[in-house]
């Protein structure tokens, strides 16, 4: 079975089955940023790249650290940083978690350019002191011609972001694609559904993601 994972090629430390081929649909690059303060009490990482490209790791000591989902939590753990993440990954679950852990602190959200604003807006609307910093940007490949054949031959495609979904259906998809679609969050599955296609949830950190996909097809 041919399974393609579209996640951007950042070392997650997950031991994926060799039957899963990683073909990113976009690149990520760090960008310069300036923190407005250093006295934050709560720091929120919205994605794995936000962890990778955030430079002020010394500020993370003795802070309340939050992650958007289990993949970001695991990436932080690789750096020796413990974080709290919602049981259900995504902005909605994180907002519920933050509501339960209010401490009248000062929040910093670390994100990418054009990243989600849901958590920032939630905290702002609830009167919290919150700022955000953008430390990376995403950009499309120069060409998608060389990777189309791989997707045409795939039995399953895993999407880890709505941006990857957007690029796939704009740059890669055709009737030659016969693969089943899988998303790692409800938001991604909903986005695919809004485009008129079906997708299933897959736990990216299950013991054997390839086996789970095979059993569902």
């Amino acid at each position: 079975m041919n399974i393609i994972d579209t996640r951007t090629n950042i070392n997650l430390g997950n031991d994926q089955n060799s039957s899963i081929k990683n073909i990113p649909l976009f690149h990520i690059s760090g960008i310069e940023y300036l923190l407005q303060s250093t006295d934050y009490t709560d720091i929120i990482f919205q994605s794995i790249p936000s962890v990778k490209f955030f430079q002020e790791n010394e500020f993370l000591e003795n802070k309340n650290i939050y992650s958007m989902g289990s993949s970001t939590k695991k990436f932080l753990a690789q750096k020796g940083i413990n974080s709290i993440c919602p049981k259900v990954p995504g902005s909605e679950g994180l907002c519920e978690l933050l509501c339960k852990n209010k401490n009248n602190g000062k929040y910093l959200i670390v994100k990418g350019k054009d990243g989600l604003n849901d958590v920032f807006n939630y905290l702002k609307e609830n009167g919290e002191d919150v700022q955000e910093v953008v430390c990376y940007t995403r950009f499309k490949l120069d060409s998608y011609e060389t990777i189309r054949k791989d997707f045409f031959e795939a039995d399953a495609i895993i999407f880890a972001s709505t941006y990857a979904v957007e690029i796939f259906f704009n740059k890669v998809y055709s009737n030659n694609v016969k693969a089943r679609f899988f998303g790692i969050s409800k938001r991604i599955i909903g986005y695919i559904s809004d485009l008129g296609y079906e997708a299933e949830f897959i736990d990216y950190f299950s013991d054997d993601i390839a086996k789970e996909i095979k059993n569902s097809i």
Side-chain angles (χ1 to χ4, degrees):
M1 173 173 284
N2 296 322
I3 303 173
I4 293 178
D5 178 6
T6 62
R7 184 186 289 272
T8 302
N9 191 17
I10 292 177
N11 179 21
L12 306 180
N14 53 334
D15 298 321
Q16 283 190 342
N17 189 294
S18 59
S19 64
I20 300 179
K21 186 175 184 178
N22 181 228
I23 305 180
L25 292 172
F26 57 90
H27 296 308
I28 291 178
S29 177
I31 57 178
E32 291 186 7
Y33 63 88
L34 180 65
L35 292 181
Q36 300 178 40
S37 175
T38 59
D39 60 348
Y40 304 104
T41 60
D42 299 72
I43 301 179
I44 301 165
F45 290 96
Q46 292 202 162
S47 63
I48 289 172
S50 70
V51 178
K52 178 179 176 63
F53 294 108
F54 184 72
Q55 302 299 316
E56 284 75 20
N57 290 329
E58 67 274 12
F59 293 154
L60 302 182
E61 295 184 10
N62 302 316
K63 310 289 186 184
N64 301 312
I65 308 297
Y66 294 89
S67 47
M68 184 74 83
S70 57
S71 56
T72 306
K73 178 180 176 68
K74 186 170 184 177
F75 196 71
L76 280 163
Q78 290 177 13
K79 294 177 173 290
I81 302 167
N82 293 321
S83 66
I84 307 170
C85 79
K87 292 182 179 179
V88 179
S91 299
E92 183 178 350
L94 183 54
C95 288
E96 292 178 359
L97 184 61
L98 291 170
C99 181
K100 295 177 181 178
N101 291 275
K102 284 186 177 181
N103 59 3
N104 296 316
K106 184 173 184 178
Y107 294 86
L108 173 68
I109 297 176
V110 188
K111 58 186 283 189
K113 184 178 180 181
D114 300 321
L116 296 174
N117 295 318
D118 296 359
V119 177
F120 178 86
N121 292 338
Y122 168 79
L123 291 171
K124 200 72 174 177
E125 290 168 2
N126 283 273
E128 301 292 341
D129 185 354
V130 56
Q131 297 171 354
E132 61 181 13
V133 63
V134 174
C135 63
Y136 71 94
T137 187
R138 306 174 298 183
F139 54 97
K140 297 175 182 177
L141 309 183
D142 293 333
S143 172
Y144 291 87
E145 291 299 327
T146 58
I147 65 174
R148 277 201 176 92
K149 186 173 183 292
D150 292 296
F151 285 93
F152 296 162
E153 296 175 348
D155 299 300
I157 302 171
I158 304 169
F159 294 101
S161 69
T162 57
Y163 189 54
V165 175
E166 175 190 337
I167 292 173
F168 174 77
F169 284 103
N170 285 332
K171 299 291 187 178
V172 177
Y173 181 79
S174 81
N175 291 333
N176 292 322
V177 175
K178 306 301 181 185
R180 295 275 290 275
F181 302 136
F182 293 84
I184 68 169
S185 73
K186 290 193 300 182
R187 182 172 182 271
I188 294 169
I189 293 171
Y191 189 80
I192 295 173
S193 178
D194 289 343
L195 294 175
Y197 301 92
E198 294 184 0
E200 300 175 44
F201 174 78
I202 190 71
D203 180 0
Y204 197 79
F205 291 98
S206 64
D207 292 335
D208 193 336
I209 188 172
K211 183 178 180 179
E212 285 195 22
I213 289 175
K214 290 175 183 177
N215 290 340
S216 68
I217 293 179

